[in-house]
Amino acid sequence: MIVRAEFERLELTLSEPFAIARGSRETTTNVVVRLTDADGATGVGAAAPSTRYGETPATVEAVLPRFLDAVESVGNPDARQRLERRLGETVRGNPAARAAVSIALCDLAATRLGVPLYRLWGLDPDAAPPTSYTIGLAAPERMGEKAAAAVDAGHDVLKVKVGTDDDEARVAAVRAAAPDAQLRVDANEAWTPKEAVARCGALADHGVEFVEQPVSADDPDGLRYVTERVPLPVIADESCRDAGDVADLAGRVDGVNLKLTKCGGIRETRRAIHAARAAGLEVMLGCMVETNAAIAAACHLAPLVDYADLDGSLLLADDPYEGVGVDGGDLRLDALDRPGTGARRRE
Ligand code: MG
C-alpha cells in the first residue's frame, strides 16, 4: 500500500541562459512527486510545467493534492490501470502534474519488482537512439562554440534552435564547428509557412536532417504547406500534445515529437507512440529543461522511437537527481544498476 504521497518544488539553475524563438531563461521550476509504500520502497517523478501548454508550478501544486488523494484512495501501486482511470476522473488536463504522478507510480511499481522499467516492458536497450544535445539561440559565433564543446563532450547529434532573422548564419556556424555531427533544427513555431519554405532550402544545404515545428501550432494547413514543399522531413512538436492530435497530423507532417509532460504520463505517451506508428509517422521523444526525476522515465521508452531528445538535465548546472547515464549522446539503459526509472537523489 502507498502510505505516503508528497511533493516538493525544485528550483533549478541552467548552466547557461537557454534561448529559443519564444524567449530565454536562466532558471526553471520543477515539482517532484515522491510515493512511499509500506515496505519503505519509493517512487519519484517530476513535473516540468510549461506556460506554452497552460501550466505553471502553481497550477501543478494546486492540482497535485487531488491527484495524490486519488492515488492514496486506490493505494495499490500495481493497480495502475485503475490508478490512471481514477486520475482521469479526478480532474481533466494538467498533463505535467499528471505525468509526475504517472512516473512516480511506474517507478514505485518497477522498484517493488526489482527491475528497471525497460526490462519490465521487455524493450531492447540497444534500440534506444542517441539523444541529441540542444544548442540554444545565441550569436552565431557563440552557437559555434557551444557546438564545438558538445562535440568535445562526445555528442554527435545536435539540435539547433532557430527562428531568428539570420538562421542560416547560425546553422552555418554550428556546421563549421561540428562538421561530422548530425544536425536537426527546431524553429519553435517562429516562421510563417513561406519563410519556412525559403529557409529550409538553405538549411538543407548544411546537411540538416529534419526541421521541428516550423510554423505556429494554430496553423495546421501551414504545416502541410511546408511539409509538401521543403526538402527536409517536418516533425510536429507544439502541434502534437498527445495521442488525440496524432490522427490530425497524419498527412500534414512526417513525424511527431512526444513528451511525457505533454501527454500526461507514461501510459498516454505509449498510446501516442503507437498511434503515431499506426499513422505512418516517425516518432521523436523529447523533454523539457527538467530534472532526471522526470527524464529518466522517458529514457526507458526510447527503444520505441526513432529520435531521442532527452538532454534536459544536461542543460542544468546542478540536477539533484541522477537518472539514466548518458555517454556522449548514448543512453546507457544497459548500465543501470538499480530498478525503476533509475532516478535517484544524488548524495
Ligand atoms: Mg521542439
Side-chain angles (χ1 to χ4, degrees), residues 159 161 186 188 212-213 237-238 257 259:
K159 174 163 136 177
K161 291 293 189 179
D186 186 357
N188 289 109
E212 206 179 307
Q213 197 67 40
D237 180 359
E238 285 87 342
N257 182 358
K259 300 174 184 173

Side-chain angles (χ1 to χ4, degrees), residues 297-327:
C299 292
H300 291 258
L301 288 173
L304 292 174
V305 305
D306 303 296
Y307 311 108
D309 180 30
L310 298 171
D311 63 339
S313 174
L314 302 178
L315 305 177
L316 298 173
D318 187 18
D319 186 347
Y321 287 85
E322 62 182 320
V324 173
V326 182
D327 180 9

Side-chain angles (χ1 to χ4, degrees), residues 101-121:
V101 177
S102 163
I103 294 166
L105 282 166
C106 284
D107 186 34
L108 177 57
T111 296
R112 285 158 52 88
L113 293 170
V115 292
L117 269 180
Y118 79 89
R119 282 182 50 202
L120 185 62
W121 296 333

